[in-house]
Amino acid sequence: MSLIQRIDALLPQTQCGKCGHGGCRPYAEGLAAGEAINKCPPGGRETIAALATLLQVPVIALDPQRPPGPSQVAFIREAECIGCTKCIQACPVDAIVGAAKLMHTVIASECTGCDLCLSPCPVDCIDLLPLPASAVPIVGDLAHGAEQRLARNQRRDRARQRHEQRQARQRREEALRQAQRQARQQPVDNDAALKQAKIAAAMSRAQLSKARSALGATPEAQQLAQLQALEAAAEQARQHLEALQAHAST
């Protein structure tokens, strides 16, 4: 594992942004570059101590401008929800389900308590409730014993994976939008462009297939990130080809 990956493994994976970054991975990159270790309120003293050990720096108190909060979970008062989807767009781990003009609900077992869904809600129908005693807390300073730490680390790994999957999906959607804009706005030699797009799509599929075979069923975190990048590239090539084909048929 790289230093950034080892740092990221110590962070709570709430993806809350309270450290001043857009998620845990960007903060890990900042820490690897020398940023202060005391900017993660959900991690608390436990995370600060773990980071100090890993990075061989002194333990310091949590930044007072970033006070810790309780372990919590979002709850939507569904009778008041107007189905605007703004909370769904804000959730960094896709823990809110619903559709436009239909009520939304929080998957409590996946919610990290980041509170990013509160401010976008136009009708203020979301509450933050204490985490049930039966639930596994994702934040620091609450796991006691090897079994609880293992359960918490598994939940953190799942939150990280959901966040990465969300980012990959957003990249695919943006690639599709760009391909559609290019197909609409740029005059092209259809035959040449289609030929190039078909070659690019085929090469992307071949690279992805080769990577999947090489990495196996359980790739490591860095390998998984590389695989997701190849998947995004293959999807972008496929979407670009489909956009050109659709443009050529009009």
Side-chain angles (χ1 to χ4, degrees), residues 136-173:
V136 177
I138 199 169
V139 300
D141 301 322
L142 293 178
H144 306 287
E147 185 176 349
Q148 289 185 357
R149 285 192 290 271
L150 176 61
R152 184 190 60 189
N153 290 342
Q154 289 174 340
R155 187 171 177 221
R156 287 180 174 182
D157 289 342
R158 189 166 67 248
R160 182 189 299 108
Q161 184 179 29
R162 292 178 70 89
H163 181 59
E164 291 173 348
Q165 289 173 342
R166 178 178 185 269
Q167 289 182 313
R169 187 190 72 246
Q170 289 176 326
R171 289 192 293 268
R172 291 194 300 269
E173 292 171 348

Side-chain angles (χ1 to χ4, degrees), residues 204-228:
S204 294
R205 289 195 303 270
Q207 289 176 339
L208 178 58
S209 178
K210 183 177 179 180
R212 283 173 172 166
S213 298
L215 298 181
T218 56
E220 297 179 356
Q222 186 175 12
Q223 295 172 330
L224 180 61
Q226 295 171 348
L227 185 61
Q228 289 173 337

Side-chain angles (χ1 to χ4, degrees), residues 2-222:
S2 69
L3 177 60
I4 292 173
Q5 289 174 317
R6 293 164 66 193
I7 294 171
D8 188 47
L10 298 177
L11 299 178
Q13 304 305 315
T14 55
Q15 314 300 344
C16 63
K18 291 182 172 61
C19 59
H21 293 274
C24 294
R25 176 70 182 221
Y27 183 39
E29 294 170 355
L31 286 165
E35 196 166 336
I37 64 173
N38 66 339
K39 296 182 179 180
C40 177
R45 294 170 298 178
E46 179 184 357
T47 296
I48 290 174
L51 290 172
T53 299
L54 174 63
L55 299 174
Q56 298 183 346
V57 297
V59 174
I60 55 179
L62 181 66
D63 184 348
Q65 297 182 355
R66 297 177 169 87
S71 188
Q72 56 195 7
V73 62
F75 174 78
I76 296 175
R77 300 192 299 277
E78 296 175 355
E80 301 173 34
C81 175
I82 61 173
C84 70
T85 76
K86 291 183 178 180
C87 61
I88 294 177
Q89 297 169 40
C91 180
V93 294
D94 284 339
I96 303 177
V97 295
K101 299 182 180 180
L102 297 174
M103 73 176 187
H104 308 333
T105 190
V106 176
I107 306 172
S109 61
E110 305 295 350
C111 175
T112 66
C114 68
D115 77 24
L116 293 176
C117 57
L118 295 185
S119 59
C121 179
V123 293
D124 194 23
C125 71
I126 305 177
D127 298 318
L128 286 175
L129 305 179
L131 194 70
S134 59
V136 177
I138 199 169
V139 300
D141 301 322
L142 293 178
H144 306 287
E147 185 176 349
Q148 289 185 357
R149 285 192 290 271
L150 176 61
R152 184 190 60 189
N153 290 342
Q154 289 174 340
R155 187 171 177 221
R156 287 180 174 182
D157 289 342
R158 189 166 67 248
R160 182 189 299 108
Q161 184 179 29
R162 292 178 70 89
H163 181 59
E164 291 173 348
Q165 289 173 342
R166 178 178 185 269
Q167 289 182 313
R169 187 190 72 246
Q170 289 176 326
R171 289 192 293 268
R172 291 194 300 269
E173 292 171 348
E174 178 59 25
L176 176 59
R177 287 192 291 269
Q178 290 181 0
Q180 290 173 336
R181 283 195 295 268
Q182 291 173 358
R184 288 195 302 266
Q185 296 173 1
Q186 297 180 0
V188 295
D189 179 341
N190 283 335
D191 291 339
L194 280 171
K195 182 177 179 180
Q196 290 177 357
K198 288 177 181 178
I199 294 172
M203 290 180 64
S204 294
R205 289 195 303 270
Q207 289 176 339
L208 178 58
S209 178
K210 183 177 179 180
R212 283 173 172 166
S213 298
L215 298 181
T218 56
E220 297 179 356
Q222 186 175 12

Side-chain angles (χ1 to χ4, degrees), residues 225-244:
Q226 295 171 348
L227 185 61
Q228 289 173 337
L230 288 173
E231 288 173 344
E235 180 66 13
Q236 182 176 0
R238 183 189 68 79
Q239 292 170 351
H240 180 57
L241 174 59
E242 288 184 353
L244 287 177

